[in-house]
């Protein structure tokens, strides 16, 4: 008798092809959701390009003093690119790449190029301005980088599956770390951190702040809900399907609330971009 390995792919069945198609769908969704956030971020950077000039908050002549040797080659050429007004090209390139990923239908090779552009421009902007970045920038960078690496293995299902799992595990570690930090903080455990955040002008909301002040138990309950939600998020990888979908739905609502009340709109896209990978790994645990 012939063993299965001697049979052609068409005779073996559609298992291998189906698995490859599933990974393709995962990365298509990851890239498009992430591109939406990158598009919004690029538009925000373009709208405030003036802050990057030599007299602005992110003056490069001042910020580059953090690095040694910026005036010598090859770093001198990089320094010129990051100088104003040349630096305005970075968010513009980011905008074009994100729009193409989001609205177009690029092939695999073009997607690799676009992802490299998004990764490179993110690194450039983080180098250019030392502060002003947050967790959404970090997780988006890792997501785009891993998605770009995946394009180097078009015929290696193991490598592509490993890339999916890396994104999923990275998201779980991000939630777990955030929850652990909050758990260690006394102002989070008693709820005062939440009230304090909504009192600020940058991340606050006047109506919600008044509600929290009138009902002191609400911020305490909400803070513990956030802590426990972040700490238990990694269970999504092993939870049964309905439970896993509930965890992802709760995570999505959490980020939507942050976007609405705290103005953290890029968090919605950066973290939910990892959800297709998380869902894929969760499904593989319960075939």
């Amino acid at each position: 008798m012939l063993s299965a390995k001697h049979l052609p792919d068409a005779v073996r069945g559609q298992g291998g092809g189906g698995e490859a198609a599933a990974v393709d769908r995962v990365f298509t969704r990851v890239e498009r959701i992430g591109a939406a956030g990158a598009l919004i971020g690029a538009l925000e950077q373009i709208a405030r390009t003036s802050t990057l000039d030599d007299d602005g908050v992110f003056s490069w002549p001042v910020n580059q003093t953090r690095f040694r040797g910026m005036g010598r080659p090859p770093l001198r050429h990089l320094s010129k690119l990051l100088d104003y007004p040349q630096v305005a090209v970075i968010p513009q390139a980011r905008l074009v790449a994100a729009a193409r990923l989001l609205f177009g239908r690029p092939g695999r090779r073009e997607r690799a190029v676009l992802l490299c552009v998004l990764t490179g421009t993110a690194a450039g902007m983080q180098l250019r301005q030392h502060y002003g970045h947050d967790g959404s920038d970090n997780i988006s960078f890792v997501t785009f980088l891993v998605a770009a690496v995946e394009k180097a293995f078009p015929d290696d299902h193991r490598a592509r599956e490993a890339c999916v799992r890396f994104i999923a595990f990275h998201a779980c570690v991000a939630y777990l770390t955030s929850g652990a930090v909050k758990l260690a903080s006394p102002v989070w455990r008693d709820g005062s951190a939440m009230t304090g955040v909504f009192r600020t002008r940058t991340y606050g909301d006047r109506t919600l702040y008044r509600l929290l002040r009138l009902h002191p138990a609400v911020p305490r309950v909400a803070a513990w809900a956030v802590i426990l939600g972040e700490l238990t998020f990694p269970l999504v990888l092993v939870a049964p399907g309905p439970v896993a979908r509930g965890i992802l739905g709760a995570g999505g609502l959490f980020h939507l609330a942050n976007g609405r009340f705290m103005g953290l709109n890029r968090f919605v896209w950066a973290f939910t971009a990892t959800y297709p990978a998380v869902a894929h790994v969760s499904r593989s645990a319960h075939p």
Side-chain angles (χ1 to χ4, degrees):
M1 291 181 61
L2 290 174
S3 63
K5 67 180 182 180
H6 295 118
L7 297 176
D9 291 340
V11 179
R12 274 187 234 160
Q14 297 180 353
E19 291 174 352
V23 174
D24 283 335
R25 287 193 295 271
V26 168
F27 276 103
T28 298
R29 292 166 183 168
V30 165
E31 293 162 18
R32 284 185 173 174
I33 297 173
L39 182 69
I40 294 172
L43 288 172
E44 291 175 345
Q45 289 174 340
I46 291 172
R48 58 172 188 263
T49 304
S50 59
T51 61
L52 299 174
D53 66 22
D54 292 348
D55 297 324
V57 177
F58 304 112
S59 168
W60 182 235
V62 175
N63 284 334
Q64 69 174 327
T65 58
R66 295 181 292 118
F67 308 102
R68 290 185 177 182
M70 268 295 177
R72 299 192 297 269
L75 294 181
R76 182 174 59 192
H77 304 294
L78 175 61
S79 180
K80 287 183 178 180
L81 174 62
L82 297 178
D83 206 355
Y84 186 84
Q86 297 88 270
V87 69
V89 175
I90 295 180
Q92 292 169 3
R94 191 169 180 80
L95 176 66
V96 173
R100 176 62 179 161
L101 267 179
L102 182 59
F103 301 114
R105 291 198 173 189
R108 186 175 179 84
R109 290 184 179 179
E110 185 182 356
R111 284 163 64 193
V113 173
L114 295 172
L115 290 165
C116 287
V117 170
L118 290 173
T119 304
T121 53
M125 289 308 295
Q126 292 203 25
L127 178 66
R128 178 58 163 77
Q129 50 189 77
H130 173 55
Y131 44 90
H133 298 282
D134 51 38
S136 66
D137 297 300
N138 296 330
I139 199 164
S140 291
F141 178 83
V142 172
T143 301
F144 287 137
L145 178 60
V146 175
V149 170
E150 182 268 340
K151 302 300 177 288
F153 304 97
D155 302 315
D156 190 335
H157 180 70
R158 274 185 165 184
R160 300 179 69 205
E161 190 72 32
C163 290
V164 175
R165 292 177 181 274
F166 187 95
I167 292 175
F169 293 152
H170 182 259
C172 289
V173 170
Y175 280 110
L176 181 63
T177 303
S178 180
V181 170
K182 291 180 177 67
L183 181 63
S185 171
V187 294
W188 266 98
R189 293 196 301 270
D190 65 14
S192 59
M194 186 165 286
T195 305
V197 166
F198 288 113
R199 185 183 181 183
T200 64
R201 179 174 297 179
T202 303
Y203 298 114
D205 183 272
R206 182 176 298 178
T207 302
L208 188 57
Y209 170 68
R210 289 174 178 172
L211 174 66
L212 298 180
R213 287 277 294 175
L214 288 173
H215 306 280
V218 173
R220 188 178 302 112
V221 172
W224 274 102
V226 172
I227 292 171
L228 294 177
E230 291 181 335
L231 288 175
T232 59
F233 185 89
L235 294 177
V236 71
L237 298 180
V238 295
V243 177
R245 288 191 290 272
I247 294 174
L248 291 177
L253 290 175
F254 168 70
H255 290 298
L256 284 173
N258 284 341
R260 163 60 182 84
F261 295 109
M262 298 180 64
L264 299 175
N265 50 7
R266 284 179 292 133
F267 271 78
V268 180
W269 306 100
F271 279 87
T272 57
T274 67
Y275 283 12
V278 173
H280 177 82
V281 176
S282 178
R283 285 194 299 270
S284 68
H286 301 278

